Amino acid sequence: MRLPATVCALLSAAALTGCGLLPGGEPAPRTVTVWLMKGSVSDDFLRRFTSAYEKEHPSVRLEVTFQEWTGIGKKVTAALASEDAPDVIEVGNTQVAQYAATGLLYDLTLESVRDLGHQDWLPGLKEPGSVNGAQYGIPWYAANRVVIYHKDLFRRAGVDSPPRTRDQWLEDTERLNRGGTKGIHLAGQDWYTLAGFIWDEGGELAVEKAGEWTGTLDSPAALRGMDFYRRLQELGSGPRDADEENPPQAEVFARGDVAQIIAPPSVATAVQERNPALRGKLGFFPIPGKDAGEPCPVLTGGSDLIVPENARERDAAIDVVAALAGDTWQKDLARTMSYVPNKTSLAPVVAGQEATAAMARGAARGRATPNSPQWAAVEADNPIKPYMTAVLTGKDPAPAARAASARITKALAG
């Protein structure tokens, strides 16, 4: 049957629209939905990025929604399994493995090798984003602990410059820990800091072999790391049976009689808010390592970007990830938010920011927690904390470490 010309015209227009074309022949704008975590970027950064990206890609519109960290695991898992998943999701760097275990993340290995400069990524972001040889998480930004110190107290003790080795650090802290000054406030259960000392000795929190994970706090290297922690912790007034939030480090340091704490640089802002007299008197240096000129490895915090397998605008989503993780916007993000950029080669961009530069030097040797999807179960009932308290209160380290390692092994078995 022959159709009237007007009907043919309507069908043709409908076909074009269905293919993403407007009547004038222009592509219909595609909307890329992005989930970012609250506080990760400033409103100003997001406006700049969105405006520049949409100008460069006129057929794309970005729809960004901020999410709360509380309860985000269940929300992301549900979104990945839905028919309406976001196209790009920011996740904590150590969360990638648990999301990859769902089988619902897009494998970005090709893009990371071909386009994104993977060989220069910070290890603490790159490694947890890689699961079974596939890169699911693209490093976005990092932050980590440094030593925040009271310059006046260092000067009074005759400590003229930050220590460059752990042995020198112990000597300096002992000199600081007298005359009413506490050399350091180091909580007895700060397992994040302990992890760095264990790694610096060549140990691990847990290791994987043939698909099975085993806790390794009882290895000789891990025990040496714990022993260094014990010696440092003794040179101050930190509680042996609590973590760094009990009491909050900022509250303790703000009193003005503590020479050092180990914390993210953002804690310095909270300290100065509590005690404005300390403004301009706080300095920062990387946690010293065993060897001069090589900082201690640090537990790297931060975020990776993932793309769901069923993202509706996958190609455009990958391009958005490439832009956010690319050098131009990495430099902007680092300057704007005082983050460590995702590549070691970009560290010079924060060279003029003392605190961020100290973070960047440590991040070059950064690590992440064991890359098991079950690691969250370890932290939920963390056996490392009571182990540390046991050692600090005089218990024999070896059997205490074996018991904690057994609990880690059980938790990682699922």
Side-chain angles (χ1 to χ4, degrees):
M1 180 177 65
R2 186 179 179 88
L3 295 174
T6 53
V7 176
C8 290
L10 288 172
L11 290 175
S12 297
L16 288 173
T17 302
C19 293
L21 293 177
L22 297 175
E26 295 291 330
R30 294 174 293 164
T31 298
V32 176
T33 56
V34 181
W35 281 8
L36 299 182
M37 299 309 300
K38 186 177 180 180
S40 286
V41 300
S42 65
D43 291 341
D44 186 53
F45 173 87
L46 185 58
R47 279 193 296 268
R48 288 199 309 275
F49 176 77
T50 300
S51 176
Y53 189 87
E54 290 181 351
K55 183 176 181 180
E56 188 175 344
H57 304 81
S59 65
V60 174
R61 295 291 177 268
L62 299 183
E63 183 180 288
V64 179
T65 303
F66 286 102
Q67 306 294 328
E68 298 283 352
W69 282 108
T70 302
I72 192 60
K74 290 183 179 178
K75 190 168 186 178
V76 170
T77 300
L80 293 175
S82 74
E83 296 298 321
D84 190 30
D87 299 301
V88 178
I89 306 175
E90 174 194 354
V91 300
N93 59 322
T94 60
Q95 296 175 333
V96 177
Q98 71 184 74
Y99 299 137
T102 66
L104 297 172
L105 296 190
Y106 183 68
D107 183 349
L108 294 162
T109 305
L110 175 62
E111 288 77 8
S112 67
V113 172
R114 184 186 63 195
D115 305 322
L116 299 177
H118 74 109
Q119 70 279 357
D120 198 26
W121 282 337
L122 294 176
L125 296 180
K126 176 182 178 179
E127 291 168 6
S130 177
V131 180
N132 296 325
Q135 194 74 38
Y136 294 104
I138 301 301
W140 193 24
Y141 66 82
N144 48 265
R145 287 161 178 75
V146 298
V147 182
I148 307 175
Y149 72 102
H150 191 315
K151 293 180 179 180
D152 285 356
L153 298 183
F154 266 55
R155 192 177 302 113
R156 290 175 199 167
V159 181
D160 299 324
S161 59
R164 299 185 65 208
T165 67
R166 283 184 6 207
D167 286 344
Q168 184 63 53
W169 192 20
L170 282 177
E171 293 177 15
D172 290 347
T173 303
E174 188 171 5
R175 292 175 66 182
L176 289 158
N177 192 45
R178 60 188 64 171
T181 296
K182 285 78 173 177
I184 191 169
H185 179 84
L186 179 59
Q189 295 183 348
D190 182 358
W191 71 275
Y192 303 108
T193 295
L194 171 64
F197 299 152
I198 289 174
W199 293 327
D200 203 29
E201 291 288 349
E204 300 288 347
L205 302 178
V207 296
E208 183 268 336
K209 186 175 181 181
E212 295 186 0
W213 284 90
T214 303
T216 53
L217 293 178
D218 54 336
S219 73
L223 289 169
R224 290 195 300 271
M226 183 64 229
D227 186 62
F228 179 82
Y229 190 100
R230 177 189 59 78
R231 289 189 287 157
L232 182 65
Q233 201 271 342
E234 288 176 347
L235 300 175
S237 59
R240 296 175 178 178
D241 59 351
D243 62 23
E244 62 276 17
E245 295 300 323
N246 298 285
Q249 290 190 96
E251 180 181 297
V252 176
F253 200 40
R255 297 170 189 164
D257 62 350
V258 172
Q260 310 168 86
I261 58 173
I262 301 172
S266 58
V267 172
T269 301
V271 169
Q272 292 166 151
E273 288 174 351
R274 286 176 168 82
N275 186 355
L278 291 177
R279 294 189 187 280
K281 296 183 179 181
L282 303 184
F284 309 84
F285 60 86
I287 299 172
K290 291 180 67 175
D291 302 317
E294 192 169 58
C296 184
V298 289
L299 182 64
T300 302
S303 290
D304 281 16
L305 298 171
I306 61 174
V307 174
E309 178 69 39
N310 60 344
R312 292 185 179 182
E313 299 291 349
R314 182 191 296 168
D315 290 344
I318 293 170
D319 193 72
V320 171
V321 169
L324 286 168
D327 291 4
T328 297
W329 290 102
Q330 278 293 298
K331 292 177 182 178
D332 190 310
L333 185 65
R335 293 191 192 100
T336 301
M337 303 300 297
S338 297
Y339 291 147
V340 179
N342 63 3
K343 293 180 180 178
T344 55
S345 59
L346 297 178
V349 76
V350 296
Q353 301 169 252
E354 181 186 2
T356 312
M359 278 202 300
R361 290 197 294 276
R365 297 196 71 206
R367 298 281 301 275
T369 51
N371 204 16
S372 163
Q374 300 298 324
W375 183 257
V378 175
E379 294 191 30
D381 185 26
N382 198 328
I384 305 175
K385 290 184 173 185
Y387 156 63
M388 296 173 71
T389 294
V391 174
L392 295 177
T393 54
K395 301 294 193 300
D396 188 340
R402 284 195 295 272
S405 294
R407 287 181 60 190
I408 291 174
T409 300
K410 183 177 180 180
L412 293 178

